[in-house]
Amino acid sequence: MSLLKSRDVLLGGAILVLLALIASRFPGFVAPSNLVRVFTDTSPLLILALGQTVVILTRCIDLSVAANLALTGMVCAMLNAAAPGVPVAVILTMAVALGALMGMVNGVMVWKLSIPPIVVTLGTMTIYRGIIFLISEGAWVNAHEMSAAFTDFPRVQILGLPVLAWVGIAAALGMALLIARTPLGRAFYAVGGNPHAAVYTGISVGKTQFWAFTLSGALAGLCGYLWVARYAVAYVDIAGGFELEVVAACVIGGISIAGGAGTILGTILGALFLGIIKNALPVIHISPFWQMAISGTAIIVAVTLNSRKSKGKGRIILRRAQDGALEGAKA
């Protein structure tokens, strides 16, 4: 079994052990109705992590996803408050388009201006947060200002699952098909694995990274509407610091920060792992504010494990090369 597949199995096992430990003290946590609620709560993290996955696969990172979500959510909330009759389908389309546009801004600067992705997305993260304050003047959009259709959509039940959960499932399936069945999905791995070799095969590194940022932005925009509609409030600092959890979900799931390695299943499991921890903390009487510390620690541990495994592979290759040279000298 390959390293990536075994890592997915180990992470899946860790999730089951975690659930068993929680259930040993609080059996109600693993009740089907509660697990549905946990998955629904985790769906925004899952959707954003799927977008972040393709960005990281191309040796980039997008720190602006939470700010993208917040700005799109504020625009959707303000539009609904000003024109309650606008159909939800139109608002959804606008949210995805606006999010994709912000992703394109990141992608163009990385592609055409060759600015490091972390610098670009730190800058746009601040800019997008500033725009939220400018358009809202620091005011909140509250539940009583939103229409019932706007806030009810993510909660509509279909076959026992809310629409928000179904969107998370659809995003996961769609991303899995994109990665496995399309040239663009294969290009994400090629660019991250060996950008120089990718160029020789006719793949544009910059363009591939551009589309990765665009896809990440579109999913962030989608989450913007879903988040605001579900919680029925929009404000400047919405989803503040959420980008850390998004990166943590990817790294815990085995997505290599160096690019070119990881699986969509790993990202899904990473998001579920964090989602279970976040929902379990209040149950076991630990402050939810520890979630940030847990996410940061998880990133460090996961990156350290990835680094040690990579170094181990490098030593084996070197040792084999030395053995070959010695055999040649003896001959």
Side-chain angles (χ1 to χ4, degrees), residues 29 42 52 94 98 105 109 137 147 154 176 184 215 218 221 311 331:
F29 190 85
T42 308
Q52 187 75 254
M94 183 200 70
L98 179 58
V105 171
M109 285 193 284
E137 297 182 346
S147 68
L184 180 60
L215 183 56
K311 288 179 181 178

Side-chain angles (χ1 to χ4, degrees), residues 254-327:
I255 306 300
S256 173
I257 289 293
T263 65
I264 293 300
L265 176 58
T267 298
I268 295 170
L269 293 174
L272 290 176
F273 182 80
L274 287 180
I276 291 169
I277 289 177
K278 186 175 183 178
N279 280 272
L281 290 180
V283 174
I284 58 179
H285 308 298
I286 296 177
S287 170
F289 291 104
W290 277 98
Q291 172 68 13
M292 294 294 288
I294 292 172
S295 298
T297 303
I299 290 176
I300 294 172
V301 171
V303 170
T304 301
L305 291 175
N306 288 340
S307 177
R308 290 177 63 86
K309 288 172 183 175
S310 298
K311 288 179 181 178
K313 288 184 177 181
R315 287 194 293 270
I316 291 171
I317 292 170
L318 181 59
R319 192 159 56 241
R320 287 177 179 171
Q322 290 172 340
D323 292 343
L326 290 173
E327 290 177 4

Side-chain angles (χ1 to χ4, degrees), residues 72-331:
T72 305
M74 177 60 78
V75 170
C76 290
M78 292 179 68
L79 174 62
N80 179 250
V86 176
V88 172
V90 173
I91 294 177
L92 268 172
T93 303
M94 183 200 70
V96 173
L98 179 58
L101 179 61
M102 286 187 276
M104 288 179 178
V105 171
N106 291 333
V108 166
M109 285 193 284
V110 171
W111 177 18
K112 296 297 185 180
L113 302 181
S114 299
I115 304 174
I118 191 169
V119 175
V120 168
T121 56
L122 275 173
T124 53
M125 175 180 70
T126 306
I127 292 170
Y128 297 157
R129 291 285 181 186
I131 293 174
I132 299 173
F133 184 83
L134 289 175
I135 64 175
S136 67
E137 297 182 346
W140 290 33
V141 181
N142 295 302
H144 69 275
E145 300 175 79
M146 302 177 185
S147 68
F150 181 88
T151 56
D152 289 348
F153 179 75
R155 300 182 177 87
V156 173
Q157 298 276 331
I158 301 176
L159 299 178
L161 286 179
V163 166
L164 178 56
W166 283 114
V167 173
I169 293 171
L173 292 175
M175 191 64 71
L177 288 173
L178 173 69
I179 291 293
R181 302 293 183 183
T182 68
L184 180 60
R186 292 188 288 272
F188 291 146
Y189 281 98
V191 166
N194 192 328
H196 299 293
V199 171
Y200 283 114
T201 61
I203 297 173
S204 170
V205 173
K207 185 180 289 186
T208 302
Q209 291 171 337
F210 167 82
W211 286 117
F213 277 109
T214 301
L215 183 56
S216 176
L219 291 175
L222 173 63
C223 279
Y225 161 70
L226 294 173
W227 185 298
V228 167
R230 183 168 191 249
Y231 296 107
V233 65
Y235 52 95
V236 174
D237 293 326
I238 191 170
F242 200 57
E243 58 278 346
L244 175 63
E245 292 184 43
V246 173
V247 174
C250 296
V251 175
I252 291 171
I255 306 300
S256 173
I257 289 293
T263 65
I264 293 300
L265 176 58
T267 298
I268 295 170
L269 293 174
L272 290 176
F273 182 80
L274 287 180
I276 291 169
I277 289 177
K278 186 175 183 178
N279 280 272
L281 290 180
V283 174
I284 58 179
H285 308 298
I286 296 177
S287 170
F289 291 104
W290 277 98
Q291 172 68 13
M292 294 294 288
I294 292 172
S295 298
T297 303
I299 290 176
I300 294 172
V301 171
V303 170
T304 301
L305 291 175
N306 288 340
S307 177
R308 290 177 63 86
K309 288 172 183 175
S310 298
K311 288 179 181 178
K313 288 184 177 181
R315 287 194 293 270
I316 291 171
I317 292 170
L318 181 59
R319 192 159 56 241
R320 287 177 179 171
Q322 290 172 340
D323 292 343
L326 290 173
E327 290 177 4
K330 290 178 181 179

Side-chain angles (χ1 to χ4, degrees), residues 12-91:
I15 291 173
L16 292 177
V17 170
L18 178 62
L19 287 173
L21 290 174
I22 298 170
S24 66
R25 295 193 59 187
F26 304 95
F29 190 85
V30 294
S33 59
N34 189 66
L35 291 179
V36 167
R37 184 182 64 80
V38 170
F39 180 75
T40 303
D41 287 343
T42 308
S43 290
L45 172 62
L46 171 60
I47 296 168
L48 288 177
L50 290 169
Q52 187 75 254
T53 293
V54 296
V55 174
I56 295 177
L57 284 176
T58 63
R59 295 193 177 187
C60 296
I61 194 165
D62 187 356
L63 299 179
S64 67
V65 287
N68 184 327
L69 178 159
L71 177 53
T72 305
M74 177 60 78
V75 170
C76 290
M78 292 179 68
L79 174 62
N80 179 250
V86 176
V88 172
V90 173
I91 294 177

